[in-house]
Amino acid sequence: MILNGDSMLFKKMLRDMKKHKMQFISIFLMAFITLLVFVGVGAEVQGLDNSVHDFYNQTNMADIWLYGENFSNKTLDNISDISSTEGVERQLVLKTTGDLDKDPTVTLHFIEKNELSQYYPIKGGNIDFDDKKGIWLDQRFAETKNLDIGDNITVKFNGMTIEKTIRGLGYSPEYVYEESDNGLISDFSLQGFGYLSYKAFPLDTIQYNKLLIKTNDSAETYHEKLDDAVDNDTYDTFMPRSDLVSDKQIMDEIDQHTIFAVMFPVIFVVVALLTLLTTMTRIVNHQRTQIGTLKSLGFTNRSLMIHYFSYGFYLTLVGSILGIILGYYIIPPFFFPSMSTFYTLPSWESGFNIKFIIVGASLVLVSLAFTYIATKNIIRESPASALEPKAPKISKIRILENTRIWDKLNFSIRWNIRDVNRNKMRSLVTILGVLGCTVLLISAFGMQDGMDDLKSWQYEGINHYETQLVLEDNITSSQIDSIQKEVNGTQLMMGAIEVEANGVKKTQTLSVYNKTDLITPTNQYMEKIDLPENGITITQKTSELLNVGVGDTIKWHLYGNSTWHTSKIDVINADPATQGIIMTPQKLDDFDIDFKPTYIITNQSVDKNLTGVASANSISDLVKSWDDLTKTANLMVGALLIFAIVLSIVVLYSLGILGFTEVERDMATLKVLGFKTKNLQKLFLTQNLALSIVGYVLGVPTGYAVLDFMWDTVGDTFFYPTHYTARTIILSFILTIVLSLIVNYLLTRKLKKIDMVQSLKKERE
């Protein structure tokens, strides 16, 4: 008897699912998409995180870097004696100009040993410390220059020419992201690095300017111990790993993708669960007679509860399992190609996290909870009560119906208000579905707007030069003046600084230049502003990071100079790509710092070699860097658009079908009363269109908040003010409303097929 009963309930479940297939398909799809996105992006993030930390572990990545003019053996011994020091070594790091096409910057590391932040060989052997003529070169740089093992490479520094033979090609954990001097992202044709033995240094005396430390202490604790162990003037800059540009950039990237993986699946989870609740509530409410009959035949409350639990259980379970499997294997490969264009890692693989299983299991359990909410009341009723028709709902809009306004409303509006009032949950889910669709569309188009606007803001609104000349480190003042005169340019000094306020320290950029038509400072609204000639300007992003404003005081110092300076903020400007402090050479002189230009910018197109110029970068090169930077963002934009369209179609059609079946008998009655099909179509379409508009209106500010939150996760380097263009609003509205109209038009065609006799006979389901 039990087996037959179970078999009967199983067949009943299949019949119900077939009858309401669109609602159950939508529940399955949203569970599937939720886990597909969460696991897909999560696997890419986890894989990236695993690859980075595996690389760090394999190469024994340092925890702290010290920069100074000359680290002696005594300093090395004193730091080694600190109890928490696990390793320490020093390097001489020089930025040189390669005698190659485009005059690339080649950063040379002359090292005594290779135990911390180790060179990672890809081709050729490891570093030979007895080799005075060899260099172990950046693999990606070598590829762009068609260099290979056995080739010679010549670089220049401070009037010296250094020629070495390539012994190996590889990577470095300090260059997972190679900070560019010439653009916004790494361009391996313009920059690279090389490792050499200290014996390969061309001079008799070598002065080490960089010191690497491995410790089991936190950076703050170790900093205190370090100051007790060595003199204050031993080093200029203390940099923990979290401030290293390479590590910071890749970690910011991981954080941003993590937020994407969590934020947008939430929309599908909420809509899926509410759709399940709406569908199950409808099914059990309109199967009262069946439930009462089954109870009369001996089916227990437990067996009936398990029966209705199975509706959501199987759908969310299968959807979650498929989403986990396909998300893990399919989604990450879409991100890796664009990511690998400007991040360098030995391997790119998907990573697994137990959270994937936990989230899938949680979704299944929550679906059971929502099913329980929908079924608990009727299952607990006695067979006799369940066989009786459910008491009609008391209208809660009688106050409105008793007003003069109600009398002035036409029949269509009155009918739709009453229908929405009777089916609040279905109406709410429709609004939330459209709201979710709008959020995804607004986020997608808003991201695209932001990237486009910032490109024009950076290279048209702020910077008006045609060529950026990168000056050699050893260039003389007379050479700088000669170049400036020849190209009619503007001298610009840029250097890394550490800035501090309110207990927060950040690595930022100091920009020093006189007023020029080649650079137009702007505020966060991209409007032109004037910078003070004898004051301090701080960028909007930096002010937010430090929680300071005009009139507040900050402390800062140049890397390579241990002297801290205190300054009051006079103006706040905004820049999408360069964050930090701006001042004039005159103001810089107040701090006893010499103005040493690192660039000359000009509105002329300069493609010839000039003495003292390391490289010349055209504005088109910098724009190309920006375009490369946006590749990954464009993938996100495309994904958001696809998910928005899927969500809109699935939710609107499934809930439209649900709404149609609920009003089918009402429509049949209206047909009997003489209403024409086109009038009924208008009646049906008006309600769904109105709900869609409400969802859209609510979705616009919600989408703004989501986009604003996403822009806040891009790290300390970039500043993205959140705003919409008219195109975003119009396109989002058109897509949302057009999809709603198309879906609901397809549903209204069913009105023509209503059998008035059969619809009025059958039980309302």
Side-chain angles (χ1 to χ4, degrees):
M1 173 68 182
I2 295 177
L3 290 176
N4 289 336
D6 290 342
S7 176
M8 184 175 71
L9 289 178
F10 182 74
K11 291 179 180 179
K12 174 182 175 297
M13 181 190 72
L14 295 179
R15 287 196 301 270
D16 287 341
M17 285 186 172
K18 181 179 180 180
K19 185 174 182 180
H20 307 285
K21 55 182 178 292
M22 283 308 304
Q23 288 78 41
F24 288 113
I25 287 174
S26 69
I27 295 168
F28 164 80
L29 284 177
M30 281 183 277
F32 169 71
I33 292 173
T34 296
L35 271 299
L36 181 74
V37 176
F38 178 74
V39 173
V41 180
E44 180 257 337
V45 170
Q46 187 64 51
L48 182 58
D49 189 66
N50 291 345
S51 296
V52 171
H53 286 96
D54 286 347
F55 189 31
Y56 286 174
N57 291 333
Q58 291 174 35
T59 55
N60 198 25
M61 179 70 155
D63 298 312
I64 292 168
W65 289 260
L66 301 183
Y67 296 89
E69 293 182 359
N70 185 18
F71 292 107
S72 65
N73 289 324
K74 181 182 178 181
T75 299
L76 214 62
D77 292 338
N78 289 339
I79 294 176
S80 297
D81 290 340
I82 299 175
S83 59
S84 56
T85 299
E86 297 180 343
V88 59
E89 63 183 60
R90 57 189 178 177
Q91 301 177 355
L92 170 61
V93 181
L94 302 176
K95 281 197 173 184
T96 67
T97 302
D99 189 13
L100 296 162
D101 179 47
K102 295 185 178 180
D103 298 323
T105 299
V106 183
T107 304
L108 300 184
H109 296 248
F110 293 91
I111 62 178
E112 294 181 302
K113 52 185 178 178
N114 190 32
E115 296 176 359
L116 300 180
S117 299
Q118 299 165 4
Y119 165 81
Y120 185 91
I122 299 296
K123 189 175 182 180
N126 217 322
I127 299 173
D128 181 357
F129 289 95
D130 291 324
D131 190 339
K132 297 181 179 180
K133 297 183 178 180
I135 183 172
W136 284 258
L137 198 61
D138 179 356
Q139 160 82 3
R140 304 193 69 174
F141 171 75
E143 288 176 349
T144 64
K145 299 302 183 182
N146 295 317
L147 297 173
D148 206 342
I149 294 175
D151 293 339
N152 290 337
I153 179 172
T154 301
V155 298
K156 298 178 181 179
F157 173 77
N158 281 349
M160 293 188 300
T161 298
I162 304 173
E163 183 176 354
K164 300 296 178 183
T165 302
I166 301 173
R167 307 294 193 200
L169 304 174
Y171 300 154
S172 168
E174 293 186 13
Y175 293 96
V176 171
Y177 171 81
E178 294 192 37
E179 184 182 14
S180 174
D181 294 329
N182 310 308
L184 295 173
I185 68 167
S186 304
D187 186 338
F188 299 104
S189 67
L190 298 176
Q191 63 193 58
F193 62 85
Y195 282 81
L196 308 91
S197 166
Y198 69 100
K199 295 179 181 180
F201 190 62
L203 301 180
D204 295 334
T205 304
I206 181 169
Q207 294 184 334
Y208 298 99
N209 57 9
K210 179 177 177 180
L211 197 144
L212 288 68
I213 301 172
K214 187 76 174 179
T215 177
N216 52 29
D217 275 335
S218 67
E220 293 79 7
T221 301
Y222 193 85
H223 199 174
E224 295 175 359
K225 293 181 179 180
L226 182 67
D227 287 340
D228 292 335
V230 300
D231 295 332
N232 292 334
D233 58 353
T234 301
Y235 63 92
D236 298 325
T237 303
F238 177 96
M239 179 183 288
R241 185 192 297 180
S242 59
D243 286 343
L244 186 70
V245 172
S246 173
D247 183 77
K248 186 172 183 57
Q249 182 69 27
I250 191 68
M251 291 305 160
D252 286 343
E253 187 81 39
I254 290 173
D255 290 343
Q256 187 178 20
H257 287 214
T258 300
I259 291 172
F260 180 84
V262 173
M263 182 181 296
F264 294 107
V266 169
I267 297 172
F268 288 87
V269 170
V270 172
V271 176
L273 293 175
L274 290 177
T275 302
L276 175 64
L277 178 61
T278 303
T279 303
M280 293 308 302
T281 300
R282 177 190 176 280
I283 288 176
V284 297
N285 284 342
H286 294 293
Q287 288 187 357
R288 291 181 60 85
T289 303
Q290 294 182 36
I291 293 172
T293 303
L294 291 172
K295 283 192 169 188
S296 300
L297 293 174
F299 285 86
T300 63
N301 288 348
R302 180 176 177 275
S303 63
L304 290 175
M305 186 65 75
I306 292 174
H307 164 64
Y308 285 109
F309 272 0
S310 62
Y311 285 64
F313 174 78
Y314 290 123
L315 293 168
T316 54
L317 178 64
V318 175
S320 297
I321 291 174
L322 286 177
I324 291 173
I325 294 173
L326 295 181
Y328 181 83
Y329 287 104
I330 293 177
I331 301 298
F334 282 101
F335 286 93
F336 290 153
S338 63
M339 294 284 289
S340 63
T341 58
F342 49 97
Y343 293 114
T344 302
L345 291 169
S347 64
W348 294 85
E349 297 177 354
S350 300
F352 187 80
N353 193 310
I354 191 62
K355 292 179 182 178
F356 302 161
I357 303 297
I358 295 174
V359 170
S362 299
L363 181 58
V364 174
L365 292 176
V366 174
S367 72
L368 294 179
F370 272 64
T371 304
Y372 173 75
I373 293 172
T375 58
K376 63 178 181 177
N377 292 331
I378 191 170
I379 295 299
R380 291 174 180 173
E381 292 185 16
S382 65
S385 298
L387 286 169
E388 295 179 355
K390 186 177 181 180
K393 296 179 181 179
I394 299 175
S395 174
K396 295 182 180 180
I397 60 171
R398 288 182 176 176
I399 296 178
L400 176 61
E401 292 178 351
N402 293 328
T403 64
R404 294 182 180 180
I405 296 176
W406 184 262
D407 295 333
K408 296 180 180 180
L409 299 177
N410 60 37
F411 172 78
S412 176
I413 296 177
R414 293 185 193 178
W415 190 91
N416 280 316
I417 291 175
R418 286 170 173 161
D419 188 60
V420 168
N421 182 60
R422 286 193 301 267
N423 301 283
K424 298 182 183 68
M425 183 57 68
R426 172 170 56 82
S427 301
L428 175 63
V429 177
T430 301
I431 290 173
L432 289 177
V434 176
L435 185 151
C437 172
T438 304
V439 168
L440 295 176
L441 289 172
I442 287 289
S443 299
F445 291 128
M447 285 179 66
Q448 190 65 58
D449 282 342
M451 300 305 289
D452 291 342
D453 287 347
L454 295 188
K455 179 179 175 180
S456 60
W457 184 17
Q458 176 74 6
Y459 298 114
E460 297 175 15
I462 296 177
N463 298 311
H464 310 292
Y465 54 84
E466 178 62 30
T467 307
Q468 177 193 74
L469 302 177
V470 183
L471 304 179
E472 294 180 346
D473 290 340
N474 64 332
I475 191 170
T476 64
S477 297
S478 59
Q479 287 176 321
I480 294 174
D481 293 338
S482 176
I483 295 171
Q484 179 185 16
K485 183 177 180 181
E486 182 172 350
V487 301
N488 190 27
T490 296
Q491 299 178 17
L492 172 63
M493 172 182 169
M494 296 186 72
I497 59 171
E498 187 176 23
V499 59
E500 179 183 7
N502 297 319
V504 179
K505 287 185 178 181
K506 292 294 178 180
T507 299
Q508 301 281 273
T509 300
L510 172 66
S511 302
V512 185
Y513 57 88
N514 285 310
K515 185 176 181 181
T516 172
D517 292 336
L518 300 179
I519 301 177
T520 301
T522 60
N523 59 20
Q524 61 179 319
Y525 306 108
M526 306 182 192
E527 300 167 340
K528 179 181 177 180
I529 61 173
D530 292 322
L531 300 185
E533 293 185 5
N534 194 31
I536 298 293
T537 301
I538 189 171
T539 59
Q540 180 73 32
K541 183 75 172 184
T542 304
S543 71
E544 293 174 0
L545 292 171
L546 301 179
N547 192 27
V548 294
V550 173
D552 292 334
T553 300
I554 59 172
K555 295 173 60 180
W556 60 274
H557 77 94
L558 277 167
Y559 278 124
N561 188 326
S562 59
T563 303
W564 283 85
H565 306 282
T566 301
S567 302
K568 187 182 74 171
I569 301 171
D570 296 296
V571 175
I572 293 179
N573 79 308
D575 191 292
T578 303
Q579 311 308 326
I581 298 174
I582 303 174
M583 66 181 72
T584 62
Q586 176 185 348
K587 183 64 178 178
L588 184 68
D589 187 59
D590 292 344
F591 300 106
D592 293 325
I593 300 176
D594 293 333
F595 177 61
K596 297 179 180 179
T598 53
Y599 302 94
I600 289 180
I601 54 176
T602 173
N603 57 10
Q604 298 179 13
S605 178
V606 181
D607 56 4
K608 61 182 178 180
N609 293 327
L610 297 172
T611 302
V613 174
S615 61
N617 306 303
S618 68
I619 197 70
S620 59
D621 291 333
L622 302 180
V623 171
K624 179 180 180 298
S625 294
W626 182 273
D627 292 337
D628 290 338
L629 177 68
T630 61
K631 286 182 180 178
T632 302
N634 289 335
L635 283 177
M636 290 187 179
V637 170
L640 290 174
L641 289 175
I642 293 172
F643 294 146
I645 292 172
V646 170
L647 177 66
S648 181
I649 293 175
V650 169
V651 171
L652 291 174
Y653 194 80
S654 63
L655 294 178
I657 287 287
L658 182 64
F660 179 81
T661 54
E662 288 180 336
V663 300
E664 186 176 357
R665 186 173 180 179
D666 294 337
M667 292 296 179
T669 302
L670 293 175
K671 268 196 169 185
V672 171
L673 294 175
F675 281 78
K676 296 182 180 180
T677 300
K678 65 178 182 179
N679 298 124
L680 299 181
Q681 289 177 329
K682 181 180 178 181
L683 190 69
F684 187 82
L685 190 62
T686 300
Q687 179 183 143
N688 289 286
L689 185 60
L691 294 175
S692 296
I693 292 175
V694 172
Y696 173 81
V697 171
L698 295 176
V700 170
T702 306
Y704 182 92
V706 169
L707 186 60
D708 188 56
F709 181 74
M710 287 181 63
W711 284 144
D712 284 342
T713 66
V714 298
D716 299 345
T717 304
F718 300 111
F719 175 67
Y720 292 77
T722 305
H723 69 280
Y724 297 154
T725 64
R727 186 196 68 167
T728 290
I729 299 296
I730 294 171
L731 283 178
S732 300
F733 181 79
I734 290 175
L735 275 174
T736 302
I737 302 305
V738 167
L739 284 173
S740 176
L741 288 173
I742 292 174
V743 169
N744 285 289
Y745 174 74
L746 295 175
L747 291 172
T748 59
R749 297 174 64 183
K750 292 180 175 290
L751 292 170
K752 298 179 180 179
K753 302 177 182 179
I754 291 180
D755 188 319
M756 290 183 285
V757 177
Q758 293 299 321
S759 296
L760 292 172
K761 278 184 178 180
K762 65 183 179 182
E763 180 187 17
R764 298 187 67 177
E765 293 184 339

